[in-house]
Amino acid sequence: VEAFVAQVTGRTADGRILTTSRVGLDIAGAASVLIGPLPVGTRTEPGPAALIAADSAMIPPSRMSEQWDVVEAVCGQADGIPLALELIGAAVANGAPTETVVADVITAAVSTATVALSDEARRAVDILAVLPGAAGIPFLAEVAGESSVAMGRAIGQATRVGLLTRAALGARGRIALLEPARDVLEPWASSRRPVFDEVRSTVFDLARRTRPSPSSAFDIETSLIVDDEHHIVMWVLEQLPDADRLELVTLLGGLWAACGRSAEGQRWFARVEPIAETATPLAAARYWIARSHASPSFATRVPFVERLRTALDVTLAEGDVREATRAAGELAVGVMWSGHIDEGRALLQRAYDLRDEGNRWGELTIVKINAVADVLAGADPAAAVDRLQKTAHEFLDVGHMGDVMACLYLAAVGARMAGDAERMRAVFDTADTLEPDRFAGYSHAALSYERANLAVAQRDADAGPRLWEALSRLTTHGEHRTAEVCRRDLGRWRLEHGDEGGAADLARAARGLLGRD
């Protein structure tokens, strides 16, 4: 139909085509008009739904009043939909009782539609029947082992025969089984363990690819797929045995932190910690490295220092050298934030020596942490701030926006510690030229808080809105403690400006901080 409409409208100056369909036409200039249910009317004045039902059930007009109960029953089950009125009415004409005919008609229609599908389309339907809800075409293509183009064609065919709906379409193409089709197919599909195993295998594969090695940057496209299918990943997690659950949480920790699900990630880390305690030394080491990396700030890595020392020894003895690189880097951060700068630098040098040759992302990460060490040590903080800004620009080519924003946030912290407001403003100006994506996470939120702090310190008129903005981002992407400290600052600012509502902010912040610290 789409091809026909495009051809006709392309050859006429003002041609118009009206077509009925359960699927909108994906053509420029097309407009959909939703038709409501047909009215049933009354025994004395039957409406169009009653007329179609009677005709389909082979009830002549002269006997419609006499058999009105049958007509009304057909209409009640068809919800005023013309096609349903015809199908249900025809089944009644063939002797089917009205109370069971809907399920029979739907089952027959789904079975007929399924038989008519290509192998690829049937595969898509099988997968969707197993999943808990809608899924994106890229994810379905991964499970089926098809290209996104081939899966798009398969989805189109299954949609045209009335099995799938695109009502939930988002920017990346989400699709779901129609509920009547799910009612028929789900019990059958749920018994097909191989389909679930393929979904599980795909989730693990995607999780590994989000960070192909422990010392390389995120695979952005794969990360988008995993985050888009968050509900499917959670559903898979709930059904896994302990060892598999520990592995998947370990794989996903960094991604959760990067895309703003840090709090959820930390809950899952805490949930599988007992499993890590009894796991193999290498599995436990991987868990603690991932948990440290997923921590929302450098300060929150400090409690993991001793665990990371063990993890470094284990990965050097049993693991991949790239895992040892990550362990050394994470340990260096925790040690530095504990106040042992020289030991931290030595660990960073060890991470540098272990890294993959040519791994630019790993090199820049080590440069970033060394600059932080300079800030903490008070050794020429201005030069460290400038180096962090330069590293942020270099990360644009090899990392993702989270790395860039992390450098800028740390540069702002360094400028604040040095008392250099001009450098702080230069950092904010740089950030304003960028467009943070969903993987900017905690760093972008923390950078907003640094900007708000400067505005408060300099008594800027926009300090209040800056604090509101920072609190909103920290609540979504940050760690609990930083968010409550920001709420405290907002409460103080509101009280200083005559807004008594600030007292409620202070009380809430106090409760939050006392509950954690």
Side-chain angles (χ1 to χ4, degrees), residues 106-107 109-111 113-114 125 129 158 161-165 176-189:
I106 289 174
T107 301
V110 169
S111 299
T114 304
V125 170
V161 299
L163 291 175
L164 307 181
T165 175
L177 270 177
L178 282 167
E179 285 308 310
R182 179 176 290 279
D183 292 340
V184 175
L185 294 172
E186 193 171 32
W188 165 73

Side-chain angles (χ1 to χ4, degrees), residues 30-172:
S32 297
V33 179
L34 297 179
I35 307 299
L38 297 177
V40 178
T42 64
R43 188 188 299 264
T44 54
E45 295 186 17
L51 295 173
I52 294 173
D55 183 60
S56 301
M58 301 185 71
I59 299 173
S62 60
R63 299 187 59 190
M64 187 182 298
S65 178
E66 177 186 335
Q67 298 193 39
W68 180 254
D69 290 348
V70 176
V71 172
E72 200 168 40
V74 171
C75 292
Q77 294 195 34
D79 293 328
I81 300 171
L83 179 58
L85 288 164
E86 292 178 7
L87 293 173
I88 296 170
V92 169
N94 289 322
T98 54
E99 59 270 18
T100 63
V101 72
V102 170
D104 293 340
V105 167
I106 289 174
T107 301
V110 169
S111 299
T112 301
T114 304
V115 169
L117 295 177
S118 66
D119 290 343
E120 295 81 6
R122 191 176 297 112
R123 185 116 166 76
V125 170
D126 284 353
I127 297 166
L128 284 164
V130 169
L131 296 179
I137 290 175
F139 179 78
L140 293 173
E142 292 281 350
V143 178
E146 303 281 353
S147 69
S148 290
V149 173
M151 181 52 60
R153 284 198 298 266
I155 291 295
Q157 185 194 18
T159 303
R160 285 192 291 275
V161 299
L163 291 175
L164 307 181
T165 175
R166 298 191 183 205
L169 259 179
R172 294 174 61 80

